[in-house]
Short mmCIF file of all heavy atoms in Angstrom, two decimals:
data_model
loop_
_atom_site.label_atom_id
_atom_site.label_comp_id
_atom_site.label_asym_id
_atom_site.label_seq_id
_atom_site.Cartn_x
_atom_site.Cartn_y
_atom_site.Cartn_z
N ALA G 1043 0.82 -1.18 0.01
CA ALA G 1043 0.00 0.02 -0.02
C ALA G 1043 0.84 1.29 0.00
O ALA G 1043 0.32 2.37 0.07
CB ALA G 1043 -0.96 0.06 1.23
N GLY G 1044 2.19 1.08 -0.04
CA GLY G 1044 3.01 2.23 -0.15
C GLY G 1044 3.80 2.71 1.12
O GLY G 1044 4.53 3.66 1.13
N GLU G 1045 3.57 2.00 2.30
CA GLU G 1045 4.18 2.38 3.53
C GLU G 1045 5.64 1.96 3.53
O GLU G 1045 6.01 0.86 3.08
CB GLU G 1045 3.40 1.76 4.71
CG GLU G 1045 1.99 2.32 4.78
CD GLU G 1045 1.93 3.79 4.96
OE1 GLU G 1045 2.75 4.47 5.63
OE2 GLU G 1045 0.93 4.33 4.40
N VAL G 1046 6.51 2.76 4.19
CA VAL G 1046 7.92 2.48 4.15
C VAL G 1046 8.60 2.49 5.51
O VAL G 1046 9.71 2.15 5.62
CB VAL G 1046 8.66 3.44 3.13
CG1 VAL G 1046 8.24 3.22 1.70
CG2 VAL G 1046 8.58 4.87 3.56
N LEU G 1047 7.88 3.04 6.48
CA LEU G 1047 8.55 3.29 7.82
C LEU G 1047 7.93 2.31 8.85
O LEU G 1047 6.67 2.39 9.14
CB LEU G 1047 8.34 4.70 8.24
CG LEU G 1047 9.07 5.15 9.55
CD1 LEU G 1047 10.56 4.86 9.50
CD2 LEU G 1047 8.85 6.63 9.78
N PHE G 1048 8.74 1.48 9.47
CA PHE G 1048 8.27 0.49 10.39
C PHE G 1048 9.09 0.51 11.66
O PHE G 1048 10.24 0.81 11.66
CB PHE G 1048 8.29 -0.87 9.78
CG PHE G 1048 7.44 -1.04 8.65
CD1 PHE G 1048 7.83 -0.63 7.36
CD2 PHE G 1048 6.14 -1.59 8.72
CE1 PHE G 1048 6.98 -0.71 6.23
CE2 PHE G 1048 5.28 -1.66 7.61
CZ PHE G 1048 5.69 -1.27 6.37
N GLY G 1049 8.45 0.24 12.84
CA GLY G 1049 9.15 0.28 14.11
C GLY G 1049 8.84 -1.03 14.90
O GLY G 1049 7.71 -1.49 14.96
N GLU G 1050 9.88 -1.57 15.45
CA GLU G 1050 9.75 -2.81 16.26
C GLU G 1050 10.13 -2.60 17.72
O GLU G 1050 11.00 -1.77 18.02
CB GLU G 1050 10.65 -3.84 15.63
CG GLU G 1050 10.50 -5.28 16.16
CD GLU G 1050 9.01 -5.72 16.24
OE1 GLU G 1050 8.42 -5.89 15.22
OE2 GLU G 1050 8.53 -5.85 17.42
N ASN G 1051 9.47 -3.36 18.56
CA ASN G 1051 9.67 -3.19 20.01
C ASN G 1051 10.64 -4.19 20.63
O ASN G 1051 11.15 -3.95 21.69
CB ASN G 1051 8.31 -3.43 20.78
CG ASN G 1051 7.46 -2.23 20.80
OD1 ASN G 1051 6.99 -1.78 19.72
ND2 ASN G 1051 7.27 -1.56 21.92
N LYS G 1052 10.74 -5.27 19.98
CA LYS G 1052 11.51 -6.44 20.55
C LYS G 1052 12.73 -6.80 19.60
O LYS G 1052 12.50 -6.91 18.42
CB LYS G 1052 10.63 -7.69 20.75
CG LYS G 1052 9.59 -7.51 21.84
CD LYS G 1052 10.19 -7.71 23.17
CE LYS G 1052 9.11 -7.74 24.31
NZ LYS G 1052 9.62 -7.88 25.60
N ALA G 1053 13.90 -6.89 20.17
CA ALA G 1053 15.09 -7.21 19.41
C ALA G 1053 14.92 -8.52 18.58
O ALA G 1053 15.31 -8.66 17.44
CB ALA G 1053 16.31 -7.22 20.25
N GLN G 1054 14.37 -9.51 19.24
CA GLN G 1054 14.17 -10.85 18.61
C GLN G 1054 13.22 -10.71 17.46
O GLN G 1054 13.50 -11.32 16.38
CB GLN G 1054 13.60 -11.87 19.63
CG GLN G 1054 13.41 -13.24 19.05
CD GLN G 1054 14.68 -13.89 18.67
OE1 GLN G 1054 15.65 -13.95 19.36
NE2 GLN G 1054 14.68 -14.40 17.37
N GLU G 1055 12.14 -10.02 17.57
CA GLU G 1055 11.17 -9.85 16.45
C GLU G 1055 11.82 -9.10 15.34
O GLU G 1055 11.70 -9.46 14.16
CB GLU G 1055 9.95 -9.16 16.91
CG GLU G 1055 8.96 -10.03 17.66
CD GLU G 1055 7.52 -9.40 17.81
OE1 GLU G 1055 6.87 -9.08 16.76
OE2 GLU G 1055 7.13 -9.22 18.89
N LEU G 1056 12.65 -8.09 15.67
CA LEU G 1056 13.31 -7.36 14.59
C LEU G 1056 14.29 -8.23 13.84
O LEU G 1056 14.32 -8.30 12.62
CB LEU G 1056 14.10 -6.20 15.27
CG LEU G 1056 14.96 -5.34 14.41
CD1 LEU G 1056 14.09 -4.57 13.37
CD2 LEU G 1056 15.81 -4.32 15.17
N ARG G 1057 15.02 -9.11 14.54
CA ARG G 1057 15.96 -9.99 13.93
C ARG G 1057 15.28 -11.00 13.07
O ARG G 1057 15.83 -11.33 12.00
CB ARG G 1057 16.78 -10.71 15.11
CG ARG G 1057 18.03 -11.42 14.65
CD ARG G 1057 18.85 -11.71 15.86
NE ARG G 1057 18.25 -12.50 16.83
CZ ARG G 1057 18.23 -12.28 18.11
NH1 ARG G 1057 19.02 -11.30 18.63
NH2 ARG G 1057 17.66 -13.11 18.95
N ASP G 1058 14.09 -11.49 13.47
CA ASP G 1058 13.32 -12.40 12.65
C ASP G 1058 12.71 -11.80 11.38
O ASP G 1058 12.74 -12.39 10.31
CB ASP G 1058 12.28 -13.02 13.45
CG ASP G 1058 12.80 -13.90 14.63
OD1 ASP G 1058 13.98 -14.26 14.57
OD2 ASP G 1058 11.99 -14.29 15.46
N LYS G 1059 12.24 -10.57 11.55
CA LYS G 1059 11.44 -9.94 10.47
C LYS G 1059 12.43 -9.33 9.41
O LYS G 1059 12.09 -9.30 8.20
CB LYS G 1059 10.54 -8.86 10.98
CG LYS G 1059 9.36 -9.41 11.72
CD LYS G 1059 8.56 -8.34 12.42
CE LYS G 1059 7.43 -8.92 13.19
NZ LYS G 1059 6.84 -7.94 14.04
N PHE G 1060 13.56 -8.82 9.83
CA PHE G 1060 14.42 -8.01 8.98
C PHE G 1060 14.79 -8.74 7.67
O PHE G 1060 14.61 -8.18 6.58
CB PHE G 1060 15.64 -7.47 9.70
CG PHE G 1060 16.47 -6.53 8.86
CD1 PHE G 1060 16.10 -5.19 8.88
CD2 PHE G 1060 17.49 -6.94 8.15
CE1 PHE G 1060 16.90 -4.19 8.19
CE2 PHE G 1060 18.27 -6.00 7.42
CZ PHE G 1060 17.92 -4.66 7.42
N PRO G 1061 15.37 -9.92 7.77
CA PRO G 1061 15.77 -10.57 6.52
C PRO G 1061 14.67 -10.91 5.63
O PRO G 1061 14.81 -10.95 4.36
CB PRO G 1061 16.50 -11.87 7.03
CG PRO G 1061 16.05 -12.07 8.43
CD PRO G 1061 15.72 -10.76 8.98
N LEU G 1062 13.46 -11.19 6.13
CA LEU G 1062 12.29 -11.52 5.33
C LEU G 1062 11.78 -10.30 4.58
O LEU G 1062 11.01 -10.42 3.59
CB LEU G 1062 11.21 -12.09 6.17
CG LEU G 1062 11.61 -13.38 6.94
CD1 LEU G 1062 10.46 -13.71 7.94
CD2 LEU G 1062 11.82 -14.52 6.04
N MET G 1063 12.11 -9.12 5.04
CA MET G 1063 11.64 -7.83 4.40
C MET G 1063 12.62 -7.22 3.51
O MET G 1063 12.44 -6.18 2.96
CB MET G 1063 11.28 -6.86 5.47
CG MET G 1063 10.38 -7.49 6.59
SD MET G 1063 8.75 -7.71 5.96
CE MET G 1063 8.14 -6.13 6.26
N GLN G 1064 13.80 -7.84 3.28
CA GLN G 1064 14.85 -7.26 2.54
C GLN G 1064 14.52 -7.01 1.09
O GLN G 1064 15.06 -6.12 0.41
CB GLN G 1064 16.11 -8.13 2.64
CG GLN G 1064 16.91 -7.93 3.88
CD GLN G 1064 17.48 -6.54 4.14
OE1 GLN G 1064 16.74 -5.64 4.49
NE2 GLN G 1064 18.77 -6.40 3.76
N GLN G 1065 13.52 -7.75 0.58
CA GLN G 1065 13.13 -7.58 -0.82
C GLN G 1065 12.53 -6.22 -1.03
O GLN G 1065 12.49 -5.67 -2.14
CB GLN G 1065 12.14 -8.69 -1.21
CG GLN G 1065 10.88 -8.72 -0.37
CD GLN G 1065 9.97 -9.81 -0.65
OE1 GLN G 1065 9.45 -9.90 -1.77
NE2 GLN G 1065 9.70 -10.69 0.30
N TYR G 1066 12.01 -5.60 0.06
CA TYR G 1066 11.40 -4.27 -0.08
C TYR G 1066 12.49 -3.29 0.31
O TYR G 1066 12.63 -2.77 1.38
CB TYR G 1066 10.18 -4.14 0.93
CG TYR G 1066 9.13 -5.19 0.63
CD1 TYR G 1066 9.02 -6.36 1.33
CD2 TYR G 1066 8.12 -4.86 -0.34
CE1 TYR G 1066 8.07 -7.25 1.03
CE2 TYR G 1066 7.07 -5.79 -0.58
CZ TYR G 1066 7.07 -6.97 0.12
OH TYR G 1066 6.09 -7.84 -0.11
N ASN G 1067 13.26 -2.88 -0.72
CA ASN G 1067 14.49 -2.16 -0.44
C ASN G 1067 14.24 -0.66 0.01
O ASN G 1067 15.10 -0.02 0.48
CB ASN G 1067 15.39 -2.14 -1.61
CG ASN G 1067 14.83 -1.66 -2.89
OD1 ASN G 1067 13.72 -1.09 -2.83
ND2 ASN G 1067 15.43 -1.93 -4.02
N ARG G 1068 13.02 -0.18 -0.08
CA ARG G 1068 12.72 1.25 0.38
C ARG G 1068 12.40 1.23 1.84
O ARG G 1068 12.26 2.28 2.46
CB ARG G 1068 11.53 1.79 -0.39
CG ARG G 1068 11.72 1.99 -1.87
CD ARG G 1068 10.50 2.59 -2.49
NE ARG G 1068 9.40 1.71 -2.31
CZ ARG G 1068 8.18 2.17 -1.87
NH1 ARG G 1068 8.00 3.47 -1.60
NH2 ARG G 1068 7.24 1.35 -1.72
N VAL G 1069 12.22 0.02 2.48
CA VAL G 1069 11.77 0.00 3.85
C VAL G 1069 12.83 0.48 4.90
O VAL G 1069 14.00 0.20 4.74
CB VAL G 1069 11.32 -1.43 4.21
CG1 VAL G 1069 11.09 -1.56 5.76
CG2 VAL G 1069 10.11 -1.76 3.43
N GLU G 1070 12.43 1.33 5.83
CA GLU G 1070 13.20 1.77 6.83
C GLU G 1070 12.71 1.28 8.25
O GLU G 1070 11.53 1.36 8.49
CB GLU G 1070 13.24 3.36 6.88
CG GLU G 1070 14.17 3.97 7.95
CD GLU G 1070 14.15 5.49 7.88
OE1 GLU G 1070 13.61 6.09 6.94
OE2 GLU G 1070 14.67 6.09 8.83
N TRP G 1071 13.64 0.79 9.03
CA TRP G 1071 13.20 0.23 10.37
C TRP G 1071 13.75 1.14 11.50
O TRP G 1071 14.89 1.59 11.41
CB TRP G 1071 13.88 -1.15 10.54
CG TRP G 1071 13.12 -2.25 9.76
CD1 TRP G 1071 13.44 -2.76 8.55
CD2 TRP G 1071 11.96 -2.90 10.23
NE1 TRP G 1071 12.53 -3.70 8.27
CE2 TRP G 1071 11.62 -3.86 9.23
CE3 TRP G 1071 11.16 -2.88 11.43
CZ2 TRP G 1071 10.55 -4.73 9.33
CZ3 TRP G 1071 10.06 -3.73 11.49
CH2 TRP G 1071 9.77 -4.60 10.45
N HIS G 1072 12.88 1.33 12.45
CA HIS G 1072 13.28 1.97 13.67
C HIS G 1072 13.09 1.05 14.87
O HIS G 1072 12.31 0.12 14.76
CB HIS G 1072 12.44 3.28 13.92
CG HIS G 1072 12.67 4.39 13.01
ND1 HIS G 1072 12.00 5.61 13.07
CD2 HIS G 1072 13.44 4.47 11.98
CE1 HIS G 1072 12.42 6.42 12.09
NE2 HIS G 1072 13.26 5.78 11.40
N PHE G 1073 13.79 1.26 15.98
CA PHE G 1073 13.56 0.55 17.19
C PHE G 1073 12.82 1.43 18.19
O PHE G 1073 13.26 2.50 18.51
CB PHE G 1073 14.83 0.01 17.80
CG PHE G 1073 14.59 -1.04 18.92
CD1 PHE G 1073 14.29 -2.29 18.60
CD2 PHE G 1073 14.62 -0.63 20.22
CE1 PHE G 1073 14.01 -3.29 19.53
CE2 PHE G 1073 14.30 -1.60 21.26
CZ PHE G 1073 14.06 -2.88 20.88
N ILE G 1074 11.63 0.94 18.67
CA ILE G 1074 10.80 1.82 19.49
C ILE G 1074 10.46 1.28 20.81
O ILE G 1074 9.78 1.92 21.64
CB ILE G 1074 9.46 2.20 18.72
CG1 ILE G 1074 8.57 0.87 18.48
CG2 ILE G 1074 9.70 2.93 17.44
CD1 ILE G 1074 7.33 1.08 17.75
N GLY G 1075 11.06 0.03 21.18
CA GLY G 1075 10.77 -0.51 22.46
C GLY G 1075 11.85 -0.31 23.47
O GLY G 1075 12.90 0.33 23.19
N HIS G 1076 11.67 -0.79 24.67
CA HIS G 1076 12.73 -0.71 25.69
C HIS G 1076 13.86 -1.58 25.25
O HIS G 1076 13.72 -2.76 24.87
CB HIS G 1076 12.13 -1.26 27.02
CG HIS G 1076 13.16 -1.30 28.13
ND1 HIS G 1076 13.71 -0.16 28.63
CD2 HIS G 1076 13.76 -2.32 28.73
CE1 HIS G 1076 14.58 -0.42 29.58
NE2 HIS G 1076 14.64 -1.73 29.61
N LEU G 1077 15.08 -0.98 25.34
CA LEU G 1077 16.25 -1.67 24.77
C LEU G 1077 17.24 -1.97 25.92
O LEU G 1077 17.66 -1.16 26.64
CB LEU G 1077 16.98 -0.74 23.77
CG LEU G 1077 18.32 -1.29 23.14
CD1 LEU G 1077 18.02 -2.62 22.53
CD2 LEU G 1077 18.87 -0.27 22.07
N GLN G 1078 17.46 -3.28 26.05
CA GLN G 1078 18.37 -3.76 27.08
C GLN G 1078 19.79 -3.66 26.48
O GLN G 1078 20.03 -3.87 25.30
CB GLN G 1078 17.98 -5.23 27.43
CG GLN G 1078 16.59 -5.38 28.03
CD GLN G 1078 16.15 -6.77 27.96
OE1 GLN G 1078 15.31 -7.12 27.14
NE2 GLN G 1078 16.67 -7.68 28.81
N THR G 1079 20.75 -3.49 27.31
CA THR G 1079 22.08 -3.23 26.86
C THR G 1079 22.66 -4.54 26.15
O THR G 1079 23.42 -4.45 25.24
CB THR G 1079 23.05 -2.89 28.01
OG1 THR G 1079 22.96 -3.82 29.04
CG2 THR G 1079 22.72 -1.50 28.55
N ASN G 1080 22.22 -5.70 26.56
CA ASN G 1080 22.73 -6.91 25.98
C ASN G 1080 22.08 -7.23 24.63
O ASN G 1080 22.46 -8.20 23.91
CB ASN G 1080 22.54 -8.20 26.94
CG ASN G 1080 21.12 -8.48 27.19
OD1 ASN G 1080 20.21 -7.72 26.82
ND2 ASN G 1080 20.91 -9.51 27.98
N LYS G 1081 21.16 -6.39 24.19
CA LYS G 1081 20.54 -6.50 22.85
C LYS G 1081 21.00 -5.44 21.85
O LYS G 1081 20.54 -5.40 20.70
CB LYS G 1081 19.00 -6.43 22.99
CG LYS G 1081 18.35 -7.49 23.85
CD LYS G 1081 18.53 -8.88 23.17
CE LYS G 1081 17.49 -9.90 23.81
NZ LYS G 1081 17.68 -10.05 25.26
N VAL G 1082 21.91 -4.60 22.32
CA VAL G 1082 22.36 -3.45 21.46
C VAL G 1082 23.00 -3.91 20.23
O VAL G 1082 22.75 -3.44 19.13
CB VAL G 1082 23.38 -2.59 22.32
CG1 VAL G 1082 24.22 -1.75 21.38
CG2 VAL G 1082 22.60 -1.68 23.30
N LYS G 1083 23.81 -4.97 20.31
CA LYS G 1083 24.54 -5.49 19.13
C LYS G 1083 23.55 -5.89 18.04
O LYS G 1083 23.83 -5.68 16.85
CB LYS G 1083 25.45 -6.72 19.56
CG LYS G 1083 26.35 -7.17 18.47
CD LYS G 1083 27.30 -8.26 19.03
CE LYS G 1083 28.21 -8.80 17.94
NZ LYS G 1083 29.10 -9.84 18.44
N ASP G 1084 22.49 -6.58 18.44
CA ASP G 1084 21.44 -7.00 17.44
C ASP G 1084 20.79 -5.80 16.82
O ASP G 1084 20.66 -5.73 15.57
CB ASP G 1084 20.35 -7.85 18.12
CG ASP G 1084 21.03 -9.20 18.57
OD1 ASP G 1084 21.88 -9.66 17.89
OD2 ASP G 1084 20.47 -9.72 19.58
N VAL G 1085 20.39 -4.87 17.60
CA VAL G 1085 19.51 -3.76 17.13
C VAL G 1085 20.24 -2.83 16.14
O VAL G 1085 19.73 -2.45 15.09
CB VAL G 1085 18.91 -3.00 18.33
CG1 VAL G 1085 18.24 -1.68 17.79
CG2 VAL G 1085 17.88 -3.85 19.04
#
């Protein structure tokens, strides 16, 4: 439908979804949830 900006709350969900969405090369991801220091590397 033309949307390009998406935000995820959980590092694990972001890690799972990101590679599946790579075909949509215009998509931009933000992290919007509470971020634990041990998840920084992933995010």
Side-chain angles (χ1 to χ4, degrees):
E1045 298 301 325
V1046 295
L1047 184 57
F1048 296 83
E1050 187 50 67
N1051 279 69
K1052 293 277 186 182
Q1054 180 65 50
E1055 281 194 60
L1056 177 64
R1057 196 162 56 221
D1058 292 345
K1059 287 169 182 169
F1060 187 86
L1062 300 171
M1063 309 288 274
Q1064 282 296 81
Q1065 58 183 299
Y1066 299 95
N1067 55 13
R1068 294 180 303 132
V1069 169
E1070 181 180 349
W1071 283 96
H1072 291 184
F1073 191 79
I1074 59 176
H1076 178 66
L1077 181 54
Q1078 298 159 256
T1079 53
N1080 63 356
K1081 298 293 197 304
V1082 159
K1083 188 175 180 181
D1084 292 328
V1085 168

